[in-house]
Amino acid sequence: MDKLVIANQGQLAGTVEISGAKNAALPILMGSLLAESPVKLSNVPHLMDVTTTLQLLATMGVDIMFDEELNIEIDASEVSSKEAPYDLVKTMRASILVLGPLLGRFGEAKVSLPGGCAIGSRPVNIHIEGMQKMGAQIDVENGYIIAKSDGRLKGADITMNPVTVTGTENLLMAAVLAEGETILRNSAREPEVTDLAAFLVKMGAKISGIGTDTLIIEGVDSLKGVAYEVIPDRIEAGTYLAAAAVTKSKLTVNKVNPSHLTAVLEKFREAGADIETSATSITLDMRDRELQPVDIVTDPYPQFPTDMQAQFLVMNALADGESKIEETIFENRFMHVSELMRMGADIRVEGNTAYIKGVKQLHGAPVMATDLRASASLILAGLVADGETVVNRVYHIDRGYELIEEKFHKVGAHIQRLSN
């Protein structure tokens, strides 16, 4: 199992090219199942979760090709299996997103209940109940969701409570080929959801209210393949900006949409950073500045994202003062705290809130990644700790960050991957 060895090299400098968004690419890859002709996707990041998704599609009989620029062509005109087996689904929660396309287009699906990061319960009951409202018969047997419909799904008025990103995406994909009108209320508004909706519209779906919390879908008879470019990864961009903040550096992230990070950039400014943006870049300058503590409450988009909580926790651990971070999305997302405390951080967790007292210095130590964003926080801590930091179980990081060592090397960090 690989591990990352990190040494403090001082300040970083330069530009990081941001990859396509994993959380947009995965539902769009699944959504390709809805098209009766080939889909061509660009700016898809090369990550473990993407590889797993392509393997999953291939097991269903989908033809997949790559060109020399690593664009992906997906031909789902002939699908031989409507099953997502446990062996593939167990590593990746997003696998549940084949349920909506399979049921919507073919009237049947057998999907293993998903796995993924161990950051708390993320129930799929909202997916199931929504599709039942659309006329599907669904049973859960031996760890599998078995869904069938007699003919096309029927439009329905569905309110999702609580807000769910994958639930919105799954029901949206089920609805585009349903008969009549579907209304999805309390929909997630994340840019990745909006990107999926834009992709579906380009294929011929009729969706209004995109970007709002109410999506109205008028079902169509079929969808065609198109060429589509995945949006940039806002969380990857935010992670590198946080690296600049903790190392008191000046760093630019390129190929990014700053409007996707409005709430995060506000918190960077509150932490003392100078921020400049262009249409496709963000520059953070923390040179000769002191990190200030910032209180954070995670909430669904457009509020502060749960996927940036761990990175800001490291910033607060080094800030001059006290702060608190309240996690409202997942109930088990402070597992990185004990690892950061091994490195000298002063953090106390009570319920869903972390209370942080800033310290002058973190210290290198062997630590263990527990989930994707926790991995990122430990790397940030290693960049500023004295001595050597070894991050174990980095397969988590490979699920969500493309070429992370190479990108950090280009801006002056010292990170080495070793195999046990």
Side-chain angles (χ1 to χ4, degrees):
M1 198 177 292
D2 288 0
K3 59 187 177 184
L4 294 178
V5 181
I6 306 161
N8 183 338
Q9 293 290 101
Q11 288 183 319
L12 309 176
T15 300
V16 177
E17 300 286 326
I18 298 305
S19 301
K22 180 195 81 158
N23 289 341
L26 298 183
I28 286 172
L29 285 166
M30 312 291 190
S32 301
L33 285 165
L34 291 161
E36 295 183 357
S37 51
V39 168
K40 296 181 179 180
L41 299 177
S42 57
N43 203 36
V44 177
H46 303 293
L47 302 167
M48 282 301 301
D49 279 7
V50 170
T51 301
T52 301
T53 302
L54 293 173
Q55 289 173 336
L56 177 57
L57 293 174
T59 65
M60 296 177 182
V62 176
D63 285 335
I64 299 168
M65 292 189 296
F66 301 85
D67 66 15
E68 64 278 1
E69 295 177 355
L70 297 177
N71 298 313
I72 304 172
E73 180 174 305
I74 299 166
D75 185 354
S77 56
E78 301 290 335
V79 172
S80 56
S81 169
K82 287 84 177 179
E83 179 176 342
Y86 173 74
D87 284 350
L88 286 170
V89 171
K90 66 182 178 182
T91 62
M92 185 182 69
R93 179 176 169 74
S95 305
I96 190 71
L97 291 172
V98 297
L99 181 61
L102 288 175
L103 189 57
R105 184 176 167 202
F106 302 106
E108 61 176 304
K110 181 180 179 182
V111 181
S112 174
L113 290 168
C117 285
I119 56 174
S121 65
R122 298 194 267 187
V124 297
N125 60 298
I126 293 173
H127 307 232
I128 292 171
E129 290 165 8
M131 291 179 202
Q132 285 174 327
K133 271 196 166 186
M134 297 167 74
Q137 299 92 49
I138 300 180
D139 295 301
V140 179
E141 298 176 2
N142 303 318
Y144 277 84
I145 301 168
I146 300 169
K148 292 182 180 177
S149 68
D150 297 325
R152 289 172 67 183
L153 294 172
K154 304 293 190 291
D157 193 324
I158 300 167
T159 299
M160 290 169 284
N161 187 25
V163 178
T164 161
V165 171
T166 54
T168 301
E169 292 167 340
N170 228 348
L171 295 174
L172 177 61
M173 289 189 283
V176 291
L177 293 178
E179 196 175 299
E181 181 182 84
T182 300
I183 302 174
L184 298 179
R185 304 183 191 275
N186 203 29
S187 293
R189 298 162 58 190
E190 273 73 2
E192 297 79 14
V193 176
T194 298
D195 204 34
L196 172 64
F199 168 67
L200 295 171
V201 166
K202 194 171 183 183
M203 290 203 296
K206 294 181 179 177
I207 306 168
S208 58
I210 294 173
T212 76
D213 63 1
T214 303
L215 296 172
I216 301 172
I217 305 102
E218 191 65 43
V220 297
D221 291 336
S222 63
L223 296 177
K224 66 181 187 301
V226 293
Y228 195 80
E229 182 177 340
V230 175
I231 58 169
D233 194 319
R234 62 193 170 103
I235 305 301
E236 184 195 17
T239 300
Y240 285 104
L241 294 174
V246 296
T247 58
K248 297 187 177 181
S249 306
K250 181 180 180 181
L251 209 60
T252 297
V253 291
N254 248 344
K255 296 184 179 177
V256 67
N257 186 337
S259 70
H260 293 168
L261 283 157
T262 301
V264 174
L265 296 183
E266 285 177 6
K267 288 297 180 181
F268 275 125
R269 291 189 177 101
E270 194 179 321
D274 180 63
I275 301 283
E276 292 185 5
T277 64
S278 73
T280 58
S281 72
I282 304 168
T283 299
L284 184 147
D285 192 349
M286 200 69 198
R287 297 172 301 177
D288 302 318
R289 294 166 178 261
E290 293 300 318
L291 272 172
Q292 301 302 313
V294 292
D295 290 343
I296 286 167
V297 178
T298 65
D299 265 318
Y301 190 85
Q303 304 305 318
F304 191 91
T306 180
D307 279 353
M308 283 299 302
Q309 174 256 103
Q311 298 88 317
F312 268 78
L313 195 145
V314 177
M315 289 168 54
N316 279 342
L318 292 160
D320 183 17
E322 299 184 9
S323 58
K324 64 179 180 179
I325 295 180
E326 185 180 348
E327 173 59 61
T328 72
I329 307 298
F330 298 121
E331 76 277 10
N332 196 21
R333 209 169 199 185
F334 284 127
M335 291 188 290
H336 46 287
V337 166
S338 59
E339 301 302 296
L340 291 171
M341 290 172 67
R342 284 171 50 77
M343 300 178 70
D346 186 348
I347 307 167
R348 173 173 52 89
V349 175
E350 291 184 6
N352 67 339
T353 304
Y355 298 88
I356 307 118
K357 292 181 180 179
V359 297
K360 294 292 185 185
Q361 182 69 56
L362 294 176
H363 310 287
V367 290
M368 185 176 296
T370 51
D371 64 68
L372 173 55
R373 306 307 170 185
S375 309
S377 74
L378 298 175
I379 290 174
L380 299 188
L383 292 173
V384 292
D386 59 19
E388 186 177 83
T389 300
V390 179
V391 182
N392 293 287
R393 288 182 24 179
V394 296
Y395 60 85
H396 286 293
I397 207 94
D398 295 333
R399 290 184 49 235
Y401 290 90
E402 183 179 43
L403 302 172
I404 191 163
E405 311 102 274
E406 289 87 339
K407 289 186 180 185
F408 267 122
H409 284 160
K410 287 181 180 177
V411 293
H414 187 278
I415 300 179
Q416 184 180 10
R417 182 180 293 253
L418 299 177
S419 296
N420 288 343

